[in-house]
Amino acid sequence: MPLNLQSAPRNSMRAIAAMCALLGAAKLPAQNPAAAAAGKPQVHIVATGGTIASTNYYSANVGKIGVDALLAAVPALASIASVTGQQFSNVASGSITQDMWLRLSRGISDTLRARPELSGVVVTHGTDTIEETAYFLDLTVADPRPVIVTGAMRPSDGIGTDGPANLYNSVRVAGEPSARGRGTMLLLNDEIFAGRDVTKMNTVRPDAFGAPYRGALGIADPEHIVWHRSATRQPVFDIAGVRELPRVDIAYVYAGADGAAIDAFVVAGAKGIVVAGVGRGGTSPGIGAAMRRAMEKGVVVVIGSRTGSGSVPVGTGASRDGKGPAAVGSGDLPVQKARVLLTLALLRSTNPRDVASVFAAHQ
Ligand code: DAS
């Protein structure tokens, strides 16, 4: 059962621990007294599941490794930080829901607020949808302290498992003062990416992650954390009072595709649809007609690209004559990232012109 960190009383890790014990849902390993006494950074680790928490090749047994075992597998952590751990969930990342995004984000914000002594937070997560969670957290956690999302491409008992190194380096970056103000980042294979830019580009290799359009933010070298770019951040979305996120679906364009999927999403209650277009946002006649039908019903449509790199002009959200709605271009956001941004933009407005402004601001 996932733990709602939001309900934890402020300024009291003891109270949080007591609550966790009551719920039977999470464990907080004791802080490392030697590291704390030595003035080492304090880092909180929130475990959600994924291959990093699995045994047997390729996550056939996801959810076997709890946060205690995850931390125990990296004894070197004690030399660089004082860490606490939290079991949020233990699932494959395909099971992460919008509701879990809300609770995870609020929980992290609450923990950071309650613990001013923390340098940063690390989230362990399955790699399949990690980029979506990373972007959601980037768009919703306002605190300037870093949130580092990490995982593993090889299970905990796999030969050459990458989980321990990824966790170790993530804790290093989370404890690094120069990581402040950079939002939520992803670290795997020593590379640090902006949560906004990163995408999974290979099914199995430890170097599966990249940011093909904008490149990496930095690298965790053995001695130093090296940044390739200065810190920049957009203002975040306030989700404090949000109970439910709107439904947003993704439709894929291919040669001769009809509009059946888009029509079905509208019937299912989609408030927004992201279309993975061909090339620079192209469609088929069937998809184009279904997009118009959806927009006439008030559904906001964003058009992106299935190419994996490059941009689709954002536009204004209005048709050329200014009378009707038009699809908003995704800019250089991959469609799964455009879905995250559209979901949050729809909390503010369902007018495509306003949504276009949000997308323009997040380029
Ligand atoms: N088991 C998959 C997931 O949870 C893959 C992984 O973590 O690498 O996303």
Side-chain angles (χ1 to χ4, degrees), residues 65-113:
I65 309 293
V67 67
D68 286 350
L70 218 52
L71 300 183
V74 196
L77 283 177
S79 66
I80 56 166
S82 172
V83 296
T84 47
Q86 186 81 52
Q87 193 76 55
F88 175 84
S89 61
N90 211 342
V91 297
S93 69
S95 300
I96 298 283
T97 63
Q98 288 183 317
D99 176 60
M100 290 163 85
W101 283 348
L102 283 174
R103 285 186 287 110
L104 183 63
S105 174
R106 287 179 184 145
I108 289 169
S109 293
D110 288 348
T111 299
L112 286 167
R113 209 175 297 123

Side-chain angles (χ1 to χ4, degrees), residues 35-339:
K40 295 207 164 63
Q42 297 193 31
V43 174
H44 188 61
I45 296 168
V46 183
T48 72
T51 290
I52 194 170
S54 77
T55 56
N56 201 347
Y57 240 85
Y58 300 136
S59 66
N61 291 312
V62 73
K64 293 283 178 196
I65 309 293
V67 67
D68 286 350
L70 218 52
L71 300 183
V74 196
L77 283 177
S79 66
I80 56 166
S82 172
V83 296
T84 47
Q86 186 81 52
Q87 193 76 55
F88 175 84
S89 61
N90 211 342
V91 297
S93 69
S95 300
I96 298 283
T97 63
Q98 288 183 317
D99 176 60
M100 290 163 85
W101 283 348
L102 283 174
R103 285 186 287 110
L104 183 63
S105 174
R106 287 179 184 145
I108 289 169
S109 293
D110 288 348
T111 299
L112 286 167
R113 209 175 297 123
R115 296 186 59 193
E117 74 281 7
L118 279 180
S119 294
V121 171
V122 171
V123 178
T124 60
H125 197 289
T127 62
D128 291 344
T129 69
I130 194 171
E131 63 195 86
E132 293 161 64
T133 298
Y135 192 34
F136 186 83
L137 296 177
D138 188 52
L139 289 169
T140 57
V141 176
D143 197 289
R145 285 170 285 178
V147 177
I148 313 298
V149 180
T150 192
M153 295 300 294
R154 293 173 176 160
S156 64
D157 59 350
I159 291 176
T161 183
D162 50 336
N166 291 338
L167 184 57
Y168 179 83
N169 281 325
S170 296
V171 169
R172 282 178 67 208
V173 177
E176 168 70 38
S178 64
R180 284 176 73 101
R182 294 176 181 272
T184 296
M185 293 166 269
L186 178 142
L187 187 150
L188 259 97
N189 198 42
D190 301 348
E191 287 192 286
I192 309 163
F193 297 96
R196 180 201 180 279
D197 304 338
V198 69
T199 192
K200 189 173 185 180
M201 300 169 68
N202 187 274
T203 53
V204 292
R205 289 199 331 225
D207 65 349
F209 285 85
Y213 199 63
R214 300 195 177 201
L217 265 191
I219 192 143
D221 267 351
E223 294 83 18
H224 303 291
I225 307 299
V226 179
W227 300 107
H228 305 322
R229 286 190 253 154
S230 53
T232 52
R233 248 201 122 181
Q234 298 294 331
V236 300
F237 291 81
D238 181 4
I239 55 163
V242 177
R243 288 179 176 273
E244 200 184 358
L245 292 166
R247 175 175 179 141
V248 176
D249 291 296
I250 300 176
Y252 204 83
V253 181
Y254 46 90
D258 70 16
I262 290 178
D263 291 337
F265 289 146
V266 174
V267 170
K271 300 289 180 278
I273 294 173
V274 179
V275 177
V278 286
R280 205 169 180 225
T283 64
S284 62
I287 293 269
M291 286 165 63
R292 283 190 292 281
R293 285 196 292 278
M295 288 188 283
E296 276 160 19
K297 290 183 174 146
V299 176
V300 178
V301 176
V302 168
I303 179 85
S305 175
R306 68 177 204 180
T307 58
S309 184
S311 70
V312 175
V314 172
T316 62
S319 59
R320 284 212 183 111
D321 63 9
K323 290 184 181 153
V328 175
S330 67
D332 68 300
L333 286 169
V335 288
Q336 60 274 27
K337 300 291 183 81
R339 174 178 174 262

